[in-house]
Amino acid sequence: MKKIKLLLIVFLMGTVLAGCSTSKLSDAYDEELLKSDAKEIVNMFCNEEYDKVVDKMSDKMKGLITAQKLKEGWEPMKEKNGEFDSIAKEGVVGNDGLATIIEVVNFKNGKTQFKITYNEDMKLEGLYLK
């Protein structure tokens, strides 16, 4: 019985500590604008508008990623997953002055997770597809 109580206390403390993490979105961001823009990024990928995605990137990101690299990374996923169906889940998290939106997108034959990170100027600082 003592082991169960100890395990429960450890679990509750972990939950409390996790709740106190710095994942709160900074007041510098408009959550609805972030969600809307992230959906726009998903649409750009679905419509093969890679240049438009690059245009939304910070100068740092533009130095690392080209429209051709985006195409090379996305095309195999798009082929495998098929046509866009819907956005299944959406979440927004703040971290070190940045905002990250996670969009889980349903396609005809599978799912893809888009992890899109913005700076306060609404420029992309990170983009990860899984």
Side-chain angles (χ1 to χ4, degrees):
M1 187 69 162
K2 286 184 181 183
K3 287 182 181 181
I4 292 174
K5 286 182 183 178
L6 181 61
L7 183 61
L8 183 59
I9 289 171
V10 169
F11 174 74
L12 289 174
M13 287 186 72
T15 303
V16 168
L17 290 174
C20 294
S21 68
T22 61
S23 63
K24 186 177 182 293
L25 186 63
S26 164
D27 291 338
Y29 294 100
D30 177 338
E31 188 171 334
E32 292 308 311
L33 179 61
L34 289 166
K35 288 177 181 179
S36 172
D37 201 76
K39 288 175 186 168
E40 198 176 306
I41 298 288
V42 171
N43 283 330
M44 288 176 192
F45 271 93
C46 291
N47 295 325
E48 301 176 8
E49 298 172 322
Y50 310 111
D51 289 324
K52 287 184 178 181
V53 176
V54 171
D55 288 344
K56 295 184 87 47
M57 293 180 178
S58 69
D59 291 338
K60 178 182 170 186
M61 287 286 293
K62 286 179 183 177
L64 301 171
I65 308 244
T66 64
Q68 183 60 37
K69 285 183 183 179
L70 291 176
K71 180 180 179 176
E72 290 169 4
W74 174 245
E75 290 296 319
M77 295 173 88
K78 184 177 180 186
E79 240 177 71
K80 177 185 168 200
N81 286 335
E83 302 263 335
F84 173 85
D85 180 41
S86 62
I87 293 180
K89 293 181 187 175
E90 185 175 55
V92 180
V93 216
N95 189 9
D96 293 329
L98 299 172
T100 300
I101 292 70
I102 298 171
E103 301 276 351
V104 179
V105 182
N106 288 331
F107 292 89
K108 184 179 178 182
N109 302 320
K111 291 182 181 182
T112 297
Q113 177 179 306
F114 288 74
K115 186 175 179 183
I116 306 166
T117 301
Y118 293 90
N119 63 27
E120 290 181 5
D121 296 323
M122 289 299 292
K123 295 290 184 181
L124 296 180
E125 289 291 345
L127 182 60
Y128 180 72
L129 308 178
K130 179 172 119 177

